[in-house]
Structure formats: structure tokens, C-alpha cells
């Protein structure tokens, strides 16, 4: 789950990281009211699930109510890399002496957490990594050992920040590490982390991605789930509890298990087609789940054929077959369906489907032939 900047700042604040006071709104008049309450100058910031807002005109300093009104009106509705701004965050403006970069993420190949810190912040870190990789100080942290005060201090020294910033940076990075681990985050990033002329270190931006699978142990995380960007198809699938990702093609895909669903997407591509989605109905899928899946796919006007690829494990073939028949009775499906059914009790399942096959419901023996058939139908 990707957080908006202001949500990320509230998340940081809960771990004691200093952020600027501010408030979110979707309304120009309210933006001015908030600014009056905070006191000028303020910064008006677009809240969208993408970076580079500054460059796109989504971050503006306002010294007066008039300026605040103008910026709020311009930024609301602005399209930033395909994300239309519906919410802005008004915060107290900060004086900046220096801009740094700090983040924690997971280095899967090292099986450790990776902390990155650079004195060259404010710009895209990818650009720094390209032009001046030595300017990024990296630290690999064993999750069972954690980040010690000493290791953190040595890391900050290696990054060659202004010595004035050392204590403040160490303090923030230890808190950021706690936020990253205890908060079940996949990524926490502060860019820029600033040194103020007064010597304080402060988080001026927040990029946070939380592990959605950990939502159950963080009651407050539902609010983040509610603001995830989803297209209409993804919203409908999410409401039904389906693992769905919308794609651009014409072949609707239903499979059981994420691995098989991904392979199915691949094989559709391999035979020259384009998948309309990724959809994993999981193990033990019943008729309800199958009907829900078919309904979501059927509502996608781009879908011209549907490929159902099931490899029975715990799920038995006859249940899948009955589920598909039940689902097609409940939902009027426009596109032809091609089924590949294998695994546990596949024979029984195929026997059930056999008498019901027609030019809207077809069966193929293999994943490859089923994909070919579905692509051929979609192209027809
Ligand atoms: P991003 O472009 O999406 O990464 O948005 P940021 O929140 O990082 O803002 C972009 C840039 O705007 C920062 O790197 C700063 O240079 C500038 N900026 C943001 N907030 C303030 C502020 O309070 N005071 C000043 N002087 N500049 C700011
Ligand atoms: Mn930034």
C-alpha cells in the first residue's frame, strides 16, 4: 500500500520523526482557511501516488492568502503523470540550508535491510546513483540484529553530511528504522531530509509503502487501503476480495494461485495475445468466488475472450467444474470462455463440463492450447 505524502508524514510523526505541521483538503477556500491557521509562508503540495511533484508544478510556496488561493486552484485538478490531484496538503514552509536523502528498503538478494543516505538530496536518487554513486552511503542491516546507535552514527559519518546535521540525522534515522520495521513497511524514504539554518534536521517529504499483508496487525492501516489508486475494475475486484491487477489487453485471465496466474499471463503473451488482467482466485475457490471473478472480468469492455486456467491441488476438479457452470448460470457472460482443467480430480471435472460445452464454453487439454484458443477467439 502506497501512502500519500501527508499520510506518510502522519506515519512518521507517530514514530517521533519531526515533520512540518499541516492539514489536507480538497477545497480552495478551505486551503486558505488552513493557511491562515498555520501562518504564512506555507507550501501547497499536491497529494498523488507519484513522485516528481515539484517539477510538475505540484509544490508551490505561498506568502499570502492570494497566492495560496491561486496555487490551490491551480494544483487541484492538475494531472501529474496520469494522477489527477484531488487532495492538497498545506504545510508551514521551512527554511532550507541543505537537502539530503534517506531511505530504508529490503535487499532481497542480501537478505538484509538496506539503508541509503546521501548528502545529495532533493533530486531523484536514481540520478545520483547514475552520476555519482559514491555520494550514496549504504548500510546493510541484519534484521535479527537491528540498527545500533554506533552503526547508525558511522553510517551518517560515511555520508559526509554537514557535521551540524549529524546528531539530528542519527536521531531521525533510528526512528525511521523503527518506523520501517515495526510499521511493516516495504519502503520508507525522506527526500529531502533537510538541515535548517537553525541546525535542526527535519523530514520535508515522505514516501512510504506498507506491506498490505500486515494490515491485520495495524488497525489504523484501513485508512491507507481506502485511498489506494484503483481503476473501476480493480475497485470491483477489491470489493470482492479478489487478487486482481488490471492490464491493457483483450484476454481475461482467471487462474488459481499467483504463480499459475502469472504463468497464464505469460503464456497469453507468448502466443501473441494480450492479457486484460491478472486474477488469482486462490486455493479452494468455490462457485461464489468463480462467479465473482467472471463478473469482474465480464464488466471489462475490452475483454473479448476469457481463459480459465485451473490446476487442482486442494481444490478438486469437480468443484471447479461445478463452480464454473454455476457461475455461468448466475452471470450472463458476453465473451467466450476457454477452460483448461488439470490436477486433482481433473477427469471428474472434465466429465461434468463435457455435456455443457458449446461455442461460448470450450475446453482444451493443455495450458498452451487453451491460451492459443483464447487468443484466437479474442482476435476474431
Ligand atoms: P517531490 O517533487 O514530489 O519530491 O516533492 P517534495 O516534497 O520533495 O518537494 C520538492 C522540492 O520543493 C523540495 O526538494 C524542496 O526544494 C522544495 N520545498 C518543499 N517544501 C519546501 C519548504 O517548506 N520550503 C522550501 N524552501 N522549499 C520547499
Ligand atoms: Mn521529494
Amino acid at each position: 500500500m502506497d501512502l500519500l505524502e501527508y499520510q506518510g508524514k502522519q506515519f512518521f510523526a507517530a514514530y517521533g520523526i519531526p515533520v512540518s505541521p499541516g492539514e489536507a483538503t480538497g477545497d480552495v477556500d478551505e486551503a486558505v482557511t488552513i493557511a491562515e491557521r498555520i501562518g504564512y509562508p506555507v507550501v501547497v503540495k499536491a497529494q498523488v501516488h507519484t513522485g516528481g511533484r515539484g517539477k510538475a508544478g505540484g509544490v508551490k510556496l505561498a506568502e499570502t492568502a492570494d497566492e495560496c488561493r491561486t496555487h490551490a486552484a491551480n494544483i487541484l485538478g492538475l494531472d501529474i503523470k496520469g494522477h489527477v490531484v484531488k487532495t492538497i496538503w498545506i504545510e508551514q514552509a521551512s527554511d532550507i540550508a541543505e537537502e539530503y536523502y534517506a531511505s530504508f528498503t529490503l535487499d532481497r538478494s542480501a537478505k538484509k535491510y538496506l539503508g541509503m543516505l546521501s548528502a545529495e538530496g532533493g533530486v531523484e536518487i536514481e540520478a545520483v546513483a547514475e552520476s555519482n554513486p559514491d555520494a550514496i552511503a549504504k548500510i546493510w542491516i541484519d534484521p535479527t540484529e537491528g540498527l545500533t546507535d554506533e552503526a547508525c552514527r558511522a553510517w551518517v559519518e560515511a555520508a559526509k553530511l554537514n557535521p551540524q546535521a549529524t546528531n539530528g540525522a542519527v536521531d531521525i534515522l533510528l526512528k525511521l528504522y523503527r518506523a520501517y520495521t515495526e510499521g511493516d513497511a516495504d519502503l520508507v524514504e525522506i527526500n529531502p531530509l533537510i538541515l535548517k539554518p537553525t541546525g535542526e534536521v527535519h523530514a520535508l517529504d515522505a514516501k512510504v509503502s506498507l506491506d498490505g499483508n500486515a494490515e491485520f496487525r495495524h488497525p489504523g492501516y484501513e485508512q491507507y487501503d481506502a485511498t489506494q489508486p484503483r481503476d473501476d475494475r480493480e475497485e470491483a475486484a477489491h470489493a470482492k476480495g479478489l487478487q486482481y491487477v488490471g492490464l491493457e489487453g483483450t484476454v481475461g485471465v482467471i487462474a488459481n494461485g499467483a504463480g499459475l496466474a502469472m504463468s497464464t499471463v505469460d503464456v497469453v503473451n507468448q502466443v501473441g495475445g494480450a492479457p486484460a488482467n491478472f486474477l488469482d482466485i486462490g486455493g479452494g475457490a468455490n462457485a461464489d468466488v468463480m462467479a465473482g471473478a467472471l463478473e469482474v472480468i465480464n464488466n471489462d469492455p475490452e475483454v473479448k475472450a476469457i481463459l480459465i486456467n485451473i490446476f487442482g491441488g486442494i481444490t478438486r476438479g469437480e468443484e471447479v467444474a461445478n463452480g464454473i457452470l454455476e457461475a455461468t448460470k448466475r452471470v450472463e457472460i458476453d465473451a467466450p470462455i476457454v477452460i483448461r482443467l488439470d490436477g486433482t480430480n481433473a477427469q471428474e471435472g472434465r466429465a461434468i463440463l463435457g455435456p455443457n460445452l458449446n461455442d461460448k464454453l470450450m475446453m482444451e487439454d493443455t495450458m498452451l492450447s487453451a491460451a492459443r484458443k483464447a487468443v484466437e477467439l479474442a482476435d476474431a
Side-chain angles (χ1 to χ4, degrees):
M1 295 189 291
D2 297 328
L3 273 52
L4 294 165
E5 176 203 4
Y6 79 92
Q7 296 171 323
K9 283 182 169 168
Q10 288 163 352
F11 174 76
F12 284 170
Y15 289 90
I17 296 169
V19 292
S20 310
E23 288 178 56
T25 180
D27 180 78
V28 175
D29 288 330
E30 207 188 329
V32 177
T33 309
I34 293 169
E36 304 279 323
R37 197 151 51 223
I38 293 171
Y40 296 100
V42 296
V43 185
V44 183
K45 306 187 78 175
Q47 299 299 297
V48 279
H49 288 96
T50 185
R53 296 164 301 156
K55 267 190 205 161
V59 178
K60 295 283 183 190
L61 194 77
E63 307 268 3
T64 64
D66 276 352
E67 283 180 18
C68 180
R69 182 173 296 281
T70 304
H71 294 323
N74 286 342
I75 294 174
L76 282 167
L78 188 69
D79 185 319
I80 302 179
K81 298 180 196 164
H83 300 255
V84 177
V85 181
K86 296 198 184 77
T87 305
I88 49 177
W89 169 250
I90 315 294
E91 78 171 25
Q92 191 176 78
S94 305
D95 287 331
I96 304 176
E98 295 187 14
E99 295 189 274
Y100 307 137
Y101 172 94
S103 70
F104 288 106
T105 184
L106 177 67
D107 182 340
R108 286 174 197 279
S109 51
K111 298 178 184 159
K112 286 183 175 163
Y113 298 137
L114 170 62
M116 291 197 277
L117 180 64
S118 177
E120 293 189 19
V123 293
E124 275 170 40
I125 196 65
E126 290 81 5
V128 180
E130 182 92 352
S131 64
N132 191 6
D134 292 342
I136 303 172
K138 296 183 178 175
I139 184 171
W140 280 268
I141 305 157
D142 186 326
T144 60
E145 288 165 11
L147 178 63
T148 63
D149 292 12
E150 299 73 42
C152 186
R153 188 163 290 272
W155 175 37
V156 169
E157 277 159 11
K160 300 194 178 72
L161 310 183
N162 186 323
Q164 251 200 307
T166 303
N167 288 339
V170 169
D171 181 60
I172 287 182
L173 290 167
L174 289 169
K175 286 169 176 162
L176 188 63
Y177 181 76
R178 259 196 66 212
Y180 173 67
T181 51
E182 289 174 26
D184 286 310
D186 292 325
L187 167 74
V188 289
E189 183 186 87
I190 307 177
N191 189 22
L193 175 72
I194 59 162
L195 172 65
K196 296 185 185 181
T198 46
E200 296 131 300
V201 181
H202 186 95
L204 207 62
D205 191 5
K207 185 171 174 185
V208 175
S209 186
L210 300 172
D211 180 354
N213 291 315
E215 199 180 318
F216 72 95
R217 55 184 181 199
H218 301 279
Y221 285 10
E222 291 123 29
Q223 53 170 323
Y224 305 138
D225 188 68
T227 50
Q228 286 312 293
R230 297 187 179 97
D231 67 25
D232 292 348
R233 303 173 300 171
E234 288 170 337
E235 196 61 55
H238 183 70
K240 292 183 193 300
L242 297 167
Q243 300 297 321
Y244 177 100
V245 181
L247 302 168
E248 310 299 315
T250 55
V251 180
V253 169
I254 299 176
N256 65 327
L260 188 63
M262 266 191 266
S263 310
T264 310
V265 163
D266 283 348
V267 85
V268 167
N269 275 313
Q270 190 195 322
V271 299
N277 65 278
F278 164 100
L279 200 169
D280 166 23
I281 55 169
N286 56 21
D288 262 354
V289 176
M290 187 56 86
L294 280 169
E295 200 175 347
V296 165
I297 289 191
N298 193 51
N299 285 339
D300 182 347
E302 295 302 316
V303 168
K304 301 291 181 267
I306 300 171
L307 172 56
I308 301 181
N309 188 10
I310 304 290
F311 194 95
I314 299 167
T315 313
R316 300 201 311 271
E318 70 270 29
E319 286 174 28
V320 173
N322 283 325
I324 293 170
L325 294 181
E326 175 69 30
T328 52
K329 269 181 228 154
R330 275 197 244 167
V331 187
E332 182 71 39
I333 311 288
D334 306 324
I337 300 172
V338 183
I339 305 162
R340 175 262 183 158
L341 179 59
D342 220 324
T344 310
N345 290 6
Q347 293 304 338
E348 289 84 341
R350 289 178 191 165
I352 291 166
L353 288 170
N356 295 283
L357 297 177
N358 53 47
D359 62 353
K360 297 282 277 182
L361 190 67
M362 289 160 249
M363 192 157 57
E364 287 287 329
D365 284 341
T366 69
M367 178 159 156
L368 190 61
S369 60
R372 282 209 178 101
K373 186 80 200 167
V375 170
E376 182 190 308
L377 289 163
D379 289 346

